[in-house]
Every structure is written in structure tokens, then in C-alpha cells.
């Protein structure tokens, strides 16, 4: 385990989805922070140096896209992977242009969490 | 020329009327002239007779003066003879008789009738008794000079008359030889011949007894007879001229008679009536000749006139006949055959020419409109059939000809049902439309009873015209429209599914994520990643080894169960995703791609996809690719087309796997159409194929042949939707049970126009 523990933030208002992410990544020895609300998640970012985040899009607050923009202002060294239950979703151009956002949007349900983990790891390594 | 025209020809009419107009006045004038001239002639002759007879009368009286004077001289002689000296008287009368030739004999008798003197002297006659003679007896009681009846003495041929008078005791009697009196010479002489040039008139002089003293025919004088025929109706004797008609020897005469009172003679002039009638007859003949010549002239004249008019008319008739035969080319005025010397005909000809021009224009216009209308009728894609009130065909357009393969001329007047039996079920509707004057519609009838369904709308409309009864039947092929409608309904169905799916997707996906991702974690904790520190720690605290857990899990088939959860979740997620395809109509990410590359890529994905599934081994399936190198690029939504191809390949693979097809092969071919407008893609297999019922329904949503849980039932309907709606292409299937299935996709290279 020479590797440094990566810090993940899960932002999803769906409790069971959020829990499954948290459980999976904790099992995989990630340090996982989570929040059901975008504002709360931003607070976490201000306090903790997070490496990456799994962001839901349709949430009660400002929404996933706006959260990414806000979060990027707080920490532009972290990676984002969008994971949404809306198959209709298309990434806005400004977010697509951001290097630290994965171009692939994961649709919920994510059948292969391993692939998600791999992508997050790659992104984090690439940024650092 | 039209020859069966009734009526009188102008020529005949003109001839007749002209003749009548000229001849009638002549006839009337002639009749009046005849009447007038007959009267005038009669008066003229009468006047001539009067003058002539009075002239004769005067002459006679003048001529008879001398014998009368002679007698008077004798009476003086007797006066001078002293004491009745007979010798004296005898010598006196002898002298007188010698001097006057007209005195044939002069005798003097005494009152006893004894002749006392006679000249020429004759001793034998002296002393004879003449008292028995009329002249003696009538004179003895009268002092007047008396004329006796005429007679022809013996030895003479000419008539004589006595002139006797009593003077004192003597009766003087002179025997006159009338021929020696000047008047008779006159009568037989010049004037007679003047008035009698033709010797047709009869002139008579008769004495008191009616005996002819003179007659144009001298023989009549010699008869010494009285002829009552000459004076059939003589009434008075007052000296005026009398006129009467008599018949002599079978000839009618007009008699003009003058009575001479002194001598009681009658002078008469007989003019044959033919003399009166002849001039009248001549006049009548002349008039008849004039009338006949006038008629002939009128006929000739009218013949010429009417010939000229006829010629002019005939020329006009030729023109109008030409117009009747649709020949409108009338030569210009200078060469115009209709040019005549009559202003009226020329005006008429000009009118004709104008009319011909107008008629031609109108005819041309009518023809143009007629041809235009019939072109419209015949160009119509609809079948158009017109029938009269007895349902006999009156209109039959090209579409109708094509529909039952009978040409228009063969159907006119025939019963609709005989020539178009396919309408047998619509007859009642046609009758209804005809009787109620209503437009009737019948929709989507399969009147041709063909195997492949064809649909026709039938419209029956009555003719709205007072003079034209009947109905028109219009039959429109609406098969395409009906199919389009069905497709629209299908699309509506799909779009509503899509709309529903779009709303549902998020709501379903989230719980699915909770289930599946949690199952993933469970799998990690119980099976896959037992060696995770957290797992080992938890096992240790529970007093079991991870090996024991693993053993238990395998024994109880927990991995299979977790996999079932994951597969079921994935299946559900696919359903949602597929349903969403219907929601997206427009294209959002069309790009220009090379279909060959897309096919290769798709086949790669298919291979890995199926490898992963492990339900069937894609490596056992042989894939034959025939991709045309020169295939043009295609504007499309790459992911969608890939989805369709993947779906088709997956279906083939599954079907062949399930049925255990020997040497399973998938053929993928692609090439452009000849005009380069379309790209055709074929996906064919040698699998189990399908029956017709399946083929018909294969593109319907939720129709599936796969077992429950293996297919969504949306795959091919989504493919259909993507190809037809999203890309404006076509997808079709052909299959034979036990032989194989072939899907044919054709896509426009330039993309869907409304996409």
C-alpha cells in the first residue's frame, strides 16, 4: 500500500445510490466524504483537500453542473466524474472543456463500479 | 351542302312574284281597257252610223225634192190649161218627162180613174182605168203628195216608185225610176264603197211596206219581198235612229235604222257584231300577248336576277358549309369567292368572314378547354367514372381504363356493373346518391380484393346541373395514405412511449442504481474481494475465516444470485434506455462517417459483448464481410446506426445459438445504390428464419420471440424508428423458415432532410 490514500467526494441526493458508492470506494480503501446537498459538499471541499468527486446532476440545489463550476473555483486540482440517472443528459460545453472532468458520463445504474474506480484513479493520477 | 332544306327556292319565288307583280297590273289594265274600248268602239260605230244615215236621209230628201217639184210643176201646168185643155196638159207632162230622166212615166187621171194624159205619150194607155191602183185610191181622199210602194215594172230591173197627188179634179201620178235619182247612184257609188271597204256591212232602203228599194245585195231588191228579219223589233217612227240586234243568215248584226217620215221609208245600216268584237278581240289578243311576253320577260329577268343572287347565295352557302365542316380558312377579300357586285351580299360575306373568324376563335377555345378538361380528367390519378340515371357509363378516364383494362369507347352506354363489376357492393350507394342528390363517401374499401391489401376511397357525387342527370364515381387509391396513417399511429405510439420513458428514466434509474451498485458492493464483500482489509477484519471479529465465507457462498450459489440481481437491473436499465430512443426525434449529433468503418467497429463491439455474456460464444459464429471500397460517406447519427447494427447482429447470434444452427454465419454487406443516393446495408444469417406472421409483426413495439427476460421486445421497433424516422431510410426483412433471415437497410447518403 505504498500509495497515498485518495480522497473521494460523493455528491448525490439519492441515499441508497450514495451509500453504494461510499461502501464500494471505502472497501477499495478510498477516503470517502459524501453529501446529499451541493452547498454542504462545497463546505467539505473548503475544509478538506479532496482528490476527486462523483457528481449527480439532478439534485435539489444548484445541480451537478453548477456544483462542478463552484467546486472548481475552490479546488481546481480535483477530478470530477458525472454519474447521472438521466439518460437525456448532455454535458454543457464549458464543463466539457474542463480537463479535470471525465468526458465519459456514467449512467446510473453503474453496472461496472470497477471501471468507474479505474477511471477516477487515472484522472487523479493524471492531474497530480 | 345541306340539301334536305324545306321551303321555296328564291329563284322560283322571285320569278313567280316578279311575274305576278308585272302581269297582274297589265291584266287588270287590259281588262279595263277592253271594257272601255269595247264601249267606245260601240259608241263610235253607233255615232258613225248616225251621221252616215242622217247624211243619207238628207241626201234622199234633197234628191226627192226634184221629183216633188216636178209634180208641183205639173199641178201648175193643169192650172194654166184653159178649160181643161188636155192637149195642153199632155204636151206639158211630156216636156217635163223628157226633161227629168227620173220620171219614167207621168200620168194624169180624172177622178173616175180614167187616164187623160200620159208621158211618154202612148195612145193605148189613154183612157184606161187606173182606179184599182193603190196610189190612185190613196190619193183621191188626200190633198197631200203621196209616195207609193215600190215595185219593179215589167221590162225593168230597177225599182220604181209612185209619187201621186190629187189636184183639183185630177190625180197626178209620177212613176219614178229610183235608180235615176242621184241618191241611189250615190248609194251604189263612192260613199258606199267608203263605208263598206270590206263589204261586211249591209245597207238597206225600204219602202213603207218593207220592200227593199235598195240593198247592198242587189238581188234582194229584185225579190220585191218584205223580210221581217231586218226589222225585228222596230218600235217608233219619229225620225231618231234606232238600234237593234238582228240575225241575218246566221250572222248577228247591229242594225241602225232611221225612219224617213215623208216617204215612210227606212234607211238601215247593218254592222256585223263581229265588227264590234273584232277590235275588242284584237285588243284582248294584244293584251294576252303583252301579258305573255311580260311573263316571259319577267321569268327571264327573274331567272337572271335570281341566278345572280343564287350565285352570290351559293357562294355564301359554300362558306357557311365550310364553317359547318370546321374549315375556317376563308380567302382574303380580293380573292374572295364570295365577292359579288352586290353591296348587301358583300356585307353579308364580310359578316360571314367575321363570323368564321369568331367561330374559329371560339371553336379553338372550346377545343382547347375541352382538351384541357379531358387531359385533366385523364391525368387524374383517380378513377373517374360517370354514369347516367340508368347507370350506363358516360365517362371513363384513363385511370378507369387502366384499372379494368377496358378502353373508353368500349364502355360508353354499357351498364356500370358489367364493365366495372368491382363496384357491385357500391351500387346501392350510387343509387342513393343519385336519388337523394347527395355526395356519398366510402372509405378504405379493398374493392380490388387483392392479396396485398390496397385501399380505395370512393366518392359518389351527383351532377349539379338541370340538363344533365347522373352521378360521377371517383375512386382514389389511398393505400399509401392508409399505410402512412398506420405508420403515423405507430410513431405516435412510439413517441408516447418515449415521452413516458423520458419522465420515468430518472426515477427508475436511481432505484436501479441503488440496487445494482449495492449488489456490486455485496459481491465485493462476500465473494470477489474477501481479502479486502475491512472484510478480513469483519470476518475475524465474527470468528470465521474468509475461506469459510467463500465456501459457504459457493455452496449456497450466492454469486449466481448476485449476478441475477445485476443482470435483471441491467435489463431494466436497457428497457428504459431503449424506450428513450423513441423520445429523441431530431438528431443531435449527426456526423459524416464511413459506413465500412462503422460496421467493423460494431462487429468488434459485438464480439466482446458476446464474449462477456458467456451465454453464447460469438467466436463460433463466422462473420462474412462484403464492404464496397468505394462506398460514399454517410451523414448519420453514428451511435444510433451502430445500435441498430448491433441489435441485428445480436439477434442473429442469439437465434442461431439458441437453435444450434450448424456453421452459423452472419453476412454483412454494404454498397451504394447506382445513383449514389442511397447506401444499402444487409445483415443476413443462415439461422432459423421466421414465419410470415413473425415477419409482419417484427417491427412492432413489444413484439418478441425471445423468452421472457431475454429481450426487451423493443429492439427491432427501435431500429425501425431510428432508420425510418431519425434517418429517413428504410428497413425491411425477408426470411424463410429454416433457411435464414435477411435485413435490408437503406439510408440516404445526405441524411434525413428534416433531421
Amino acid at each position: 500500500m505504498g500509495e497515498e490514500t485518495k480522497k473521494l467526494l460523493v455528491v448525490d441526493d439519492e441515499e441508497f445510490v450514495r451509500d453504494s458508492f461510499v461502501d464500494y470506494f471505502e472497501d477499495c480503501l478510498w477516503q470517502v466524504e459524501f453529501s446529499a446537498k451541493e452547498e454542504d459538499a462545497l463546505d467539505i471541499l473548503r475544509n478538506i483537500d479532496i482528490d476527486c468527486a462523483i457528481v449527480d446532476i439532478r439534485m435539489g440545489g444548484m445541480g451537478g453542473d453548477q456544483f462542478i463550476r463552484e467546486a472548481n473555483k475552490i479546488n481546481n486540482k480535483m477530478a470530477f466524474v458525472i454519474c447521472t440517472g438521466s439518460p437525456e443528459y448532455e454535458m454543457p460545453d464549458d464543463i466539457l472543456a474542463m480537463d479535470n472532468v471525465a468526458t465519459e458520463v456514467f449512467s446510473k445504474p453503474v453496472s461496472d463500479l470497477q471501471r468507474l474506480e479505474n477511471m477516477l484513479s487515472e484522472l487523479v493520477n493524471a492531474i497530480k | 351542302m345541306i340539301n334536305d332544306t324545306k321551303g321555296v327556292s328564291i329563284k322560283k319565288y322571285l320569278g313567280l312574284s316578279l311575274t305576278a307583280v308585272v302581269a297582274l297590273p297589265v291584266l287588270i289594265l287590259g281588262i279595263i281597257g277592253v271594257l272601255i274600248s269595247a264601249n267606245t268602239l260601240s259608241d263610235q260605230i253607233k255615232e258613225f252610223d248616225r251621221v252616215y244615215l242622217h247624211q243619207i236621209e238628207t241626201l234622199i230628201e234633197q234628191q226627192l225634192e226634184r221629183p216633188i217639184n216636178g209634180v208641183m210643176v205639173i199641178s201648175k201646168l193643169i192650172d194654166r190649161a184653159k178649160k181643161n185643155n188636155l192637149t195642153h196638159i199632155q204636151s206639158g207632162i211630156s216636156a217635163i218627162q223628157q226633161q227629168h230622166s227620173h220620171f219614167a212615166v207621168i200620168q194624169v187621171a180624172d177622178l173616175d180613174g180614167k187616164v187623160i194624159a200620159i208621158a211618154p205619150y202612148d195612145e193605148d194607155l189613154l183612157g184606161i182605168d187606173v182606179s184599182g191602183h193603190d196610189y190612185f185610191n190613196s190619193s183621191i181622199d188626200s190633198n197631200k203628195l203621196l209616195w207609193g210602194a215600190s215595185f219593179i215594172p215589167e221590162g225593168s230591173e230597177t225599182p220604181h216608185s209612185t209619187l201621186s197627188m190629187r189636184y183639183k179634179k185630177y190625180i197626178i201620178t209620177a212613176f219614178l225610176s229610183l235608180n235615176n235619182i242621184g241618191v241611189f247612184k250615190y248609194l251604189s257609188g263612192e260613199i258606199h264603197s267608203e263605208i263598206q271597204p270590206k263589204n261586211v256591212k249591209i245597207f238597206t232602203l225600204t219602202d213603207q211596206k218593207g220592200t227593199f228599194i235598195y240593198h247592198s245585195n242587189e238581188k234582194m231588191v229584185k225579190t220585191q219581198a218584205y223580210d221581217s228579219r231586218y226589222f225585228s223589233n222596230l218600235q217608233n217612227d219619229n225620225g231618231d235612229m234606232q238600234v237593234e240586234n238582228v240575225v241575218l243568215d246566221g250572222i248577228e248584226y247591229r242594225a241602225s235604222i232611221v225612219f224617213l217620215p215623208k216617204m215612210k221609208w227606212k234607211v238601215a245600216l247593218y254592222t256585223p257584231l263581229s265588227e264590234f268584237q273584232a277590235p275588242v278581240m284584237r285588243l284582248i289578243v294584244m293584251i294576252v300577248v303583252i301579258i305573255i311576253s311580260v311573263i316571259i320577260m319577267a321569268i327571264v329577268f327573274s331567272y337572271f336576277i335570281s341566278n345572280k343572287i343564287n350565285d352570290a347565295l351559293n357562294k355564301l352557302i359554300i362558306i357557311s358549309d365550310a364553317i359547318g365542316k370546321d374549315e375556317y380558312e376563308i380567302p382574303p377579300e380580293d380573292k374572295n369567292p364570295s365577292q359579288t357586285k352586290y353591296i348587301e351580299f358583300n356585307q353579308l360575306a364580310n359578316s360571314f368572314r367575321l363570323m368564321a373568324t369568331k367561330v374559329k376563335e371560339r371553336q379553338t377555345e372550346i377545343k382547347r378547354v375541352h382538351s384541357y378538361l379531358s387531359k385533366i380528367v385523364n391525368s387524374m390519378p383517380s378513377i373517374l367514372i360517370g354514369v347516367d340515371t340508368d347507370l350506363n357509363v358516360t365517362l371513363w378516364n384513363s385511370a378507369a381504363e387502366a384499372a379494368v383494362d377496358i378502353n373508353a369507347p368500349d364502355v360508353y352506354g354499357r351498364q356500370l356493373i358489367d364493365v366495372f363489376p368491382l363496384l357491385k357492393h357500391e351500387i346501392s350507394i350510387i343509387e342513393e346518391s343519385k336519388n337523394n342528390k347527395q355526395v356519398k363517401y366510402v372509405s378504405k374499401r379493398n374493392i380490388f380484393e387483392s392479396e396485398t391489401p390496397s385501399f380505395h376511397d370512393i366518392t359518389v357525387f351527383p351532377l349539379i346541373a338541370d340538363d344533365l342527370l347522373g352521378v360521377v364515381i371517383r375512386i382514389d387509391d389511398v393505400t399509401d395514405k392508409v399505410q402512412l396513417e398506420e405508420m403515423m399511429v405507430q410513431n405516435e405510439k412510439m413517441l408516447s412511449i418515449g415521452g413516458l420513458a423520458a419522465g420515468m428514466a430518472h426515477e427508475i434509474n436511481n432505484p436501479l442504481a441503488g440496487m445494482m451498485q449495492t449488489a456490486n458492493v455485496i459481491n465485493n464483500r462476500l465473494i470477489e474481494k474477501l481479502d479486502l482489509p475491512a472484510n478480513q477484519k469483519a470476518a475475524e471479529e465474527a470468528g470465521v475465516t474468509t475461506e469459510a465465507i467463500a465456501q459457504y457462498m459457493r455452496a449456497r450459489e450466492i454469486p449466481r444470485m448476485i449476478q441475477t440481481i445485476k443482470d435483471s437491473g441491467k435489463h431494466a436499465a436497457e428497457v428504459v434506455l431503449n424506450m428513450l430512443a423513441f423520445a429523441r426525434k431530431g438528431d443531435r449529433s449527426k456526423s459524416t462517417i464511413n459506413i465500412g468503418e462503422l460496421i467493423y467497429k460494431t462487429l468488434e463491439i459485438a464480439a466482446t459483448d458476446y464474449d462477456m455474456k458467456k451465454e453464447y460464444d460469438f467466436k463460433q459464429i463466422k462473420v462474412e464481410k462484403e464492404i464496397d471500397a468505394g462506398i460514399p460517406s454517410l451523414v448519420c447519427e453514428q451511435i444510433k446506426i451502430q445500435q441498430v447494427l448491433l441489435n441485428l447482429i445480436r439477434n442473429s447470434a442469439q437465434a442461431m445459438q439458441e437453435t444450434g444452427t450448424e456453421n452459423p454465419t452472419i453476412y454483412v454487406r454494404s454498397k451504394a445504390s447506382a445513383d449514389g443516393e442511397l447506401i444499402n446495408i444487409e445483415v443476413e444469417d443462415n439461422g432459423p428464419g421466421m414465419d410470415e406472421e413473425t415477419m409482419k409483426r417484427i417491427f412492432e413495439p413489444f413484439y418478441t420471440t425471445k423468452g421472457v427476460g431475454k429481450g426487451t421486445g423493443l429492439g427491432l421497433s427501435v431500429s425501425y424508428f431510428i432508420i425510418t424516422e431519425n434517418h429517413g431510410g428504410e428497413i425491411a426483412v425477408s426470411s424463410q423458415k429454416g433457411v435464414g433471415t435477411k435485413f435490408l437497410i437503406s439510408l440516404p447518403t445526405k441524411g434525413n432532410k428534416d433531421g
Side-chain angles (χ1 to χ4, degrees), chain B residues 4 77 84 106 116 260 269 333 367 381 400 403 414 424 472 500 502 515 541 551 649-650 654 674 679 737:
Chain B
D4 58 345
L77 193 75
N84 300 322
I106 300 170
I116 58 163
L260 308 180
L269 194 57
E333 207 161 331
K367 272 184 186 164
R414 289 177 65 189
K424 56 181 178 288
V472 178
L500 191 65
M515 279 165 56
E541 283 167 6
Q551 194 180 349
I649 291 163
R650 187 200 289 173
Q654 270 182 343
I679 288 176
K737 193 109 178 127

Side-chain angles (χ1 to χ4, degrees), chain A residues 3-124:
Chain A
E3 258 182 80
E4 197 180 325
T5 304
K6 297 186 185 88
K7 296 188 200 75
L8 171 69
L9 174 64
V10 178
V11 189
D12 200 320
D13 59 349
E14 289 284 332
E15 186 186 356
F16 303 121
V17 178
R18 190 174 64 238
D19 287 350
S20 68
F21 283 129
V22 173
D23 288 343
Y24 180 84
F25 281 94
E26 279 181 350
D27 285 354
C28 296
L29 303 176
W30 289 58
Q31 182 187 330
V32 183
E33 303 293 332
F34 56 90
S35 169
K37 289 178 180 166
E38 300 90 310
E39 285 76 11
D40 295 349
L42 288 176
D43 284 341
I44 293 168
L45 286 179
R46 287 185 191 100
N47 299 323
I48 305 166
D49 185 21
I50 298 291
D51 294 310
C52 59
I54 294 172
V55 183
D56 188 18
I57 292 299
R58 280 172 62 167
M59 290 180 288
M62 67 185 75
D65 291 334
Q66 189 56 31
F67 169 79
I68 290 171
R69 291 187 192 100
E70 297 295 329
N72 198 47
K73 288 175 194 167
I74 297 163
N75 181 358
N76 62 358
K77 290 287 181 193
M78 64 178 289
F80 299 93
V81 170
I82 296 167
C83 193
T84 176
S86 303
E88 302 281 86
Y89 174 76
E90 278 187 22
M91 210 184 282
D93 289 344
D94 61 324
I95 293 170
L96 196 59
M98 289 160 69
D99 291 337
N100 50 345
V101 179
T103 50
E104 186 179 347
V105 175
F106 279 76
S107 287
K108 288 198 274 191
V110 181
S111 54
D112 192 351
L113 287 171
Q114 180 73 57
R115 205 160 70 82
L116 179 60
E117 187 194 353
N118 293 344
M119 181 169 285
L120 279 171
S121 297
E122 279 172 27
L123 268 175
V124 170

Side-chain angles (χ1 to χ4, degrees), chain B residues 639-655:
Chain B
I639 292 174
K640 292 285 182 66
I641 297 302
Q642 197 167 11
Q643 186 186 336
V644 171
L645 292 175
L646 205 54
N647 193 24
L648 294 178
I649 291 163
R650 187 200 289 173
N651 282 346
S652 281
Q654 270 182 343

Side-chain angles (χ1 to χ4, degrees), chain A residues 20 24 27 85 87 108 110 114, chain B residues 509-510 517 524-525 532 580:
Chain A
S20 68
Y24 180 84
D27 285 354
K108 288 198 274 191
V110 181
Q114 180 73 57
Chain B
N509 279 344
N510 274 317
Q517 289 170 203
N524 279 357
R525 293 191 180 178
L532 280 174
L580 275 170

